[in-house]
Amino acid sequence: MNNLLKNSIWVLIAALGAAAVGGIALNRGENINTLWFITAALCVYAIAYRFYATWIAVTVLAVDETRATPAERLDNGRDFVPTNKWIVFGHHFAAIAGPGPLVGPTLAAQFGYLPGTLWILFGAVLGGCVQDMVTLFLSTRRDAKSLGQMARDELGALGGTAALIATFAIMIILIAVLGLVVVNAMKHSPWATATVSATIPIAMIVGLYMRSFRPGQVLEASALGVILLLLAVVGGGWIDHNETLRVWFDHEGLMLAWWVMAYGFAAAILPVWLLLAPRDYLSTYVKLGTITLLAVAIIMLQPTVKMPALTQFIDGTGPIFGGKLFPFVFITIACGAISGFHSLIASGTTPKLLSNERDIRMIGYGGMLLESFVAIMAMMAATVLDPGVFFAINSPAGVVGKEAVDAVAKISSWGFPVTVDQMQLLANQMGEATLFARTGGAPSLAVGMASIFGSAFGESMLALWYHFAIMFEAIFILTTLDAGTRVGRFMLQDMLGNIWPKLGETSWTPSVVLTSALVVSGWGYFLYIGVIDPNGGVNILWPLFGIANQMLAAIALCVATGILVKSDKFKYAWVTGLPLVWLVTITSSAAWEKIASDNIRIGFFSAANDLADKLAAGVLPPEKAAVAPQLIFNQHLDGWLTLFFVVLLWLIVFDMLRVCSRYLAGKPVLPLAEVPHCPSRLVEEWVRD
């Protein structure tokens, strides 16, 4: 009877989810209620987690809760520390949830709500969640080795070296873009800067509380941290309105960039329990609290989506970024569906904290599902805005015109009416001078969130909600930057350990300091270049960010597929093989267009050549001519990096296929690098008196 009831409930969930997805996909010409999106997401996630994730964990991976993890066997109090599963979940989610699930869906909304929504839902459950969970499992079974080192151990010197170089180089680009987005969000925003800064000492207080004052009292420490975080948010607003104190936190982008670099270095060298884990854990409360509040507000208001299911810009003529629906929607929305950056966290800090293999499904698959839901929320926040307002905020002045009158005329001609008075009223309500051409996705997302919060909880507080949303986005991103820097340190130590084994010891202080400084210097250089770029840096680096991120996911799935085949699980290799084929297809297609396209809004080299020709002809205005050489250099750098990454990707794919074919043919290959089974003493039945 109980089984019949359970089965009936799951059948109803599946039917409800199918109806919701069908309603979203088939709706045309009418406004659709946002409740359909929430229903579709929750049902799809529930079915996937209960059945698909369980099947993978039990049948494909065969997780073993009696097996000691690296955190237990190699516990050193600095990097390897057995940690409560909820704190690990909080750290993992905070580390993976960067700008992608917020900014990506917002930018991709120029194609309409439908393509991005479907990619977020099904890309996550079939690709992103699988990659995260499988990578976490494989790293846990290999002493928490990094993705690049696993590739070297399992595929061999050629593919492994290519993977080590590719993952580290891509990581540098990813962290630089994360830093650039957070600097732009905090620039001249004392409230956001003060609040984000306060989370650092708060995290250290919580870390010391759980480590020294009240060990194991997670609920007490969580309550303390949440109270202090709320006070930090309120205090940030008070500082923002205090003319004496606000100047202490009102900085240009370059000054903030130096502080971000200093923070990244500190997060990479301090013990994980002191800063990284508690800060990410507490930031998760802010993230989940805000997203939950947004979901509650949407359920209360039931706003309608005003953006069409598909816009005319699927042909590649979109104002926000150039490129057709395929492949660019799959590149623009990365972290909300599948993200290679996650594989670095899943093979970096998280397996060093994991105390039991049974938590891999919750942390790996469940953490990615939660991020996918964040992306759905971001898509809704962007698409409930009037399309004319959305495009007025996100369209660059170079496309729609510098003057407000020209911009509204251009946008209205696309069939999305908007007026100057409408935009000015909205800017006044948000406490901004103007909202025209506020590109990058973050401002329009903040406007959408503020509009929803204001309608639900008080429109008189719109400016408060807007700046709260900006602060929320900055916190969202900074936690990914600190974890990424630490993971980059682990990756560099793995590589240097092949030259001098002592440098590969993750807890040897000279190695920790040296590799952390090198990693921060690497991404700090690109952050500096982006900050001084007069166009904001994001516009030129985000396409490279998206392509590199998805290539990294393809590399992770290559390694996973090769290991499954070598583990005599060829019949299950499709679990990682199918998303691998899709990612290789879209990343190669996008890379080819960014390298070879003669459209200056798409091709890196064509844009650089066009700007160089204009500079030589003397037709550029003085202010643009002064920075043109820097912009030309950046475009060329992006183009060559894209070519470099795609060559490395195909090299790794062919090497993986070589290893698999040799194994299936009975020829010798490198043995599996999985460490021998060691019984856990943290599991109840293994505890001895």
Side-chain angles (χ1 to χ4, degrees), residues 35 91 93 149 178 184 259 261 288 294 299 311 531-532 538 550 556 625 631 634:
L35 284 182
H91 155 73
F93 175 71
Q149 190 61 44
L178 298 178
N184 287 342
W259 281 110
M261 292 180 212
L288 296 184
L294 184 61
I299 293 172
T311 69
V531 168
I532 66 173
V538 173
Q550 302 301 59
L631 298 178
N634 287 344

Side-chain angles (χ1 to χ4, degrees), residues 307-645:
M307 185 70 72
L310 295 170
T311 69
Q312 65 266 40
F313 301 129
I314 59 174
D315 64 358
T317 61
I320 300 175
F321 59 89
K324 295 183 179 180
L325 177 66
F326 179 87
F328 287 100
V329 71
F330 307 105
I331 297 302
T332 306
I333 299 178
C335 301
I338 182 168
S339 168
F341 180 80
H342 296 189
S343 68
L344 302 183
I345 302 300
S347 63
T349 54
T350 303
K352 294 177 173 65
L353 303 176
L354 189 73
S355 59
N356 197 295
E357 283 190 7
R358 66 168 173 259
D359 301 325
I360 286 176
R361 180 175 71 121
M362 180 192 78
I363 294 168
Y365 202 97
M368 178 59 209
L369 283 181
L370 187 56
E371 180 170 0
S372 181
F373 187 66
V374 172
I376 289 291
M377 291 290 106
M379 177 65 76
M380 285 190 287
T383 54
V384 297
L385 292 173
D386 287 330
V389 171
F390 171 83
F391 285 110
I393 297 174
N394 286 287
S395 299
V399 175
V400 297
K402 293 183 178 179
E403 299 298 327
V405 175
D406 297 330
V408 298
K410 183 72 172 179
I411 295 167
S412 297
S413 70
W414 298 333
F416 304 121
V418 63
T419 67
V420 175
D421 290 341
Q422 181 182 4
M423 290 300 298
Q424 188 57 53
L425 175 62
L426 186 62
N428 293 339
Q429 290 175 330
M430 300 298 163
E432 295 284 346
T434 181
L435 288 172
F436 279 107
R438 295 290 300 273
T439 58
S444 65
L445 175 61
V447 170
M449 292 175 62
S451 298
I452 294 172
F453 286 147
S455 298
F457 308 116
E459 293 192 357
S460 61
M461 301 171 62
L462 273 176
L464 176 74
W465 288 119
Y466 173 79
H467 288 94
F468 172 81
I470 290 290
M471 178 273 300
F472 156 75
E473 292 171 18
I475 289 181
F476 215 102
I477 297 164
L478 200 57
T479 50
T480 309
L481 181 143
D482 56 27
T485 302
R486 198 176 189 93
V487 171
R489 189 253 286 182
F490 292 145
M491 294 167 61
L492 187 56
Q493 286 179 300
D494 279 344
M495 286 190 286
L496 295 179
N498 294 313
I499 302 172
W500 184 22
K502 190 68 175 176
L503 287 175
E505 296 181 12
T506 58
S507 297
W508 187 45
T509 301
S511 174
V512 170
V513 174
L514 173 64
T515 52
S516 297
L518 291 174
V519 170
V520 173
S521 298
W523 62 256
Y525 168 75
F526 286 97
L527 173 58
Y528 171 79
I529 292 298
V531 168
I532 66 173
D533 185 346
N535 290 337
V538 173
N539 293 334
I540 197 171
L541 286 177
W542 189 267
L544 179 62
F545 170 85
I547 292 172
N549 198 20
Q550 302 301 59
M551 284 185 179
L552 189 53
I555 292 172
L557 291 170
C558 267
V559 175
T561 304
I563 293 176
L564 286 178
V565 172
K566 289 173 60 179
S567 302
D568 293 321
K569 295 179 179 180
F570 176 70
K571 64 181 179 180
Y572 300 129
W574 60 267
V575 171
T576 54
L578 289 181
L580 169 61
V581 170
W582 176 249
L583 282 181
V584 170
T585 301
I586 62 172
T587 52
S588 299
S589 300
W592 172 255
E593 290 200 38
K594 298 301 292 185
I595 293 170
S597 176
D598 57 4
N599 186 332
I600 63 173
R601 297 192 63 233
I602 299 176
F604 288 131
F605 293 115
S606 60
N609 294 336
D610 177 73
L611 189 57
D613 292 341
K614 290 179 179 177
L615 179 64
V619 297
L620 293 176
E623 63 274 11
K624 189 151 189 185
V627 298
Q630 182 68 65
L631 298 178
I632 293 169
F633 171 80
N634 287 344
Q635 293 280 12
H636 276 121
L637 179 62
D638 282 3
W640 286 113
L641 282 174
T642 301
L643 180 61
F644 176 67
F645 290 153

Side-chain angles (χ1 to χ4, degrees), residues 65-123:
E65 68 178 30
T66 68
R67 187 185 186 114
T69 64
E72 178 184 352
R73 290 186 292 103
L74 307 176
D75 184 3
N76 59 16
R78 180 198 288 266
D79 296 317
F80 292 87
V81 182
T83 307
N84 179 278
K85 65 180 180 180
W86 294 110
I87 295 179
V88 180
F89 181 87
H91 155 73
H92 183 78
F93 175 71
I96 66 174
L102 298 175
V103 177
T106 304
L107 300 179
Q110 79 164 4
F111 294 126
Y113 69 77
L114 182 59
T117 299
L118 294 181
W119 171 234
I120 291 168
L121 289 178
F122 296 104

